[in-house]
Amino acid sequence: MNQLNPVRVLFVGGDYPYLLYLKDLLSPEKSYGLFELYSAENEAAAQPHLEKSKIDIVLIDISHAAVGLVPYERLHERFSDTPKLVLIEVNDEPLALEAIKKGAKGHLLKIRSERSPLPQTIMQIVRQRQEETAIRRNEELFRTLIEN
């Protein structure tokens, strides 16, 4: 993502009404073109998006996960460089905290509100990722200069 390219967001989950809400919330009209939303019903359907597209962040719905964190863990294991934000219902807090221990960048309640913190949270996580990447590049460059 840079100033000219929108943040590419992949929603992973089978909650179709929530997907419609996300499409509206992150629409070009409401977000000034900051986001480009992709969706996948499950972890298996998400993999081609992550392999072929440069996804900036994954929103993974763990609220209906009868299998717990298995889909999150599989995606994180295979695509650990892509930040993930888990979306939960009220009673899913312990599951969300477990996901954070396993590498998720945070969690948010799945609320449907025009004042949702989701867009700001997405931007914060993506900016943090960019800063971490820049620091790593600078450290590598500095190390190369010192060694030569």
Side-chain angles (χ1 to χ4, degrees):
M1 179 210 72
N2 62 38
Q3 292 179 342
L4 301 176
N5 297 324
V7 174
R8 290 178 292 285
V9 179
L10 174 61
F11 171 70
V12 181
D15 186 345
Y16 188 70
Y18 193 75
L19 173 59
L20 292 177
Y21 163 74
L22 286 177
K23 284 182 178 183
D24 180 58
L25 181 68
L26 303 178
S27 69
E29 297 80 26
K30 289 190 177 177
S31 71
Y32 305 101
L34 287 175
F35 303 101
E36 191 172 290
L37 180 65
Y38 300 87
S39 66
E41 191 167 332
N42 54 43
E43 164 239 336
Q47 289 187 22
H49 287 287
L50 290 159
E51 290 167 348
K52 295 177 184 173
S53 304
K54 174 57 180 116
I55 298 296
D56 296 302
I57 187 169
V58 176
L59 308 178
I60 185 163
D61 182 358
I62 61 171
S63 66
H64 297 343
V67 292
L69 289 177
V70 172
Y72 167 81
E73 290 168 340
R74 287 182 188 153
L75 280 178
H76 189 66
E77 181 180 309
R78 183 129 187 247
F79 304 99
S80 61
D81 285 344
T82 305
K84 288 151 206 81
L85 178 68
V86 293
L87 303 172
I88 63 168
E89 297 288 348
V90 174
N91 297 328
D92 297 324
E93 186 92 13
L95 198 56
L97 295 175
E98 188 64 29
I100 291 169
K101 288 179 187 174
K102 294 182 178 193
K105 295 297 181 186
H107 72 284
L108 281 178
L109 285 174
K110 284 173 45 181
I111 57 171
R112 291 169 180 85
S113 166
E114 291 296 318
R115 297 176 144 204
S116 171
L118 185 60
Q120 293 85 357
T121 303
I122 290 170
M123 293 303 293
Q124 180 182 12
I125 291 170
V126 169
R127 283 190 188 118
Q128 180 182 10
R129 173 75 175 124
Q130 289 174 329
E131 290 168 2
E132 290 168 356
T133 301
I135 288 169
R136 261 194 314 277
R137 271 194 227 125
N138 287 340
E139 287 173 346
E140 290 170 8
L141 178 60
F142 184 69
R143 198 173 297 114
T144 302
L145 290 172
I146 295 297
E147 290 172 356
N148 294 329

